Amino acid sequence: MPEAEFFLESKVSPTSKRGTEELEHLHRVQNLRTFRRIVLQNFNNACCVSGLDIVDTLRACPIVPDKSTYSPENALCLAATYAAAFRHHLITFDEDMRFVLSPSLSDHATGDAFRYTFKAYEGQRMLPARFIQPSEALMQMHREHLVAG
């Protein structure tokens, strides 16, 4: 149990203010790790846009950020580049879970890297989740914030 090890090694009382803060931090970290593992397994350890299956590059990306909720229906498995673009509302998915680029991204990005990384997937369906589908209501909320041109 990591909690007991921390308190024994650091000689911090679990009931002290610092001990309580450290314990809360440990629980958050454990929740995030569990959340990531569940989301990656839900998408067969592959990016739902590109199919990239290098686990170290994959992120459990919340559809609508909410630090208090770690729910698989509020997350996508995305490779780091797509996770960053999704968080910044430069990409999203339509009602049919097809990949959508923001007008801002489409209008201003050029070159081969953009073409191969983003443009190549425009209009393609998201790779399906295995067990728990992303929430349509949360996806709609994400779509509403897509960056305009």
Side-chain angles (χ1 to χ4, degrees):
M1 175 185 231
E3 297 166 14
E5 290 171 14
F6 169 79
F7 290 114
L8 288 174
E9 290 174 8
S10 66
K11 298 182 179 139
V12 173
S13 167
T15 57
S16 70
K17 181 175 175 17
R18 179 169 174 233
T20 302
E21 289 170 355
E22 292 293 340
L23 193 55
E24 288 172 2
H25 174 74
L26 284 170
H27 284 284
R28 256 191 324 274
V29 168
Q30 287 174 331
N31 286 342
L32 283 171
R33 285 182 182 150
T34 301
F35 175 66
R36 180 178 186 273
R37 184 177 41 79
I38 290 168
V39 172
L40 268 61
Q41 287 176 352
N42 192 37
F43 283 93
N44 209 24
N45 292 308
C47 173
C48 68
V49 172
S50 66
L52 183 68
D53 61 357
I54 302 171
V55 173
D56 290 340
T57 70
L58 300 176
R59 307 291 180 262
C61 188
I63 298 167
V64 176
D66 181 359
K67 292 183 177 156
S68 66
T69 305
Y70 299 109
S71 171
E73 59 264 345
N74 183 30
L76 302 176
C77 179
L78 294 167
T81 299
Y82 299 107
F86 189 81
R87 273 193 311 274
H88 292 285
H89 299 277
L90 296 171
I91 62 171
T92 194
F93 296 88
D94 68 13
E95 302 80 23
D96 295 321
M97 295 304 192
R98 295 184 190 280
F99 188 68
V100 176
L101 302 174
S102 78
S104 173
L105 189 61
S106 291
D107 293 345
H108 298 101
T110 59
D112 288 344
F114 169 73
R115 232 180 350 271
Y116 297 128
T117 306
F118 291 101
K119 197 71 174 164
Y121 295 103
E122 189 173 29
Q124 287 190 16
R125 271 191 200 275
M126 169 193 302
L127 296 177
R130 293 169 58 198
F131 310 109
I132 302 168
Q133 299 306 312
S135 163
E136 177 51 42
L138 295 173
M139 289 301 299
Q140 176 59 38
M141 290 172 65
H142 187 270
R143 281 192 289 278
E144 291 170 2
H145 293 95
L146 195 66
V147 175

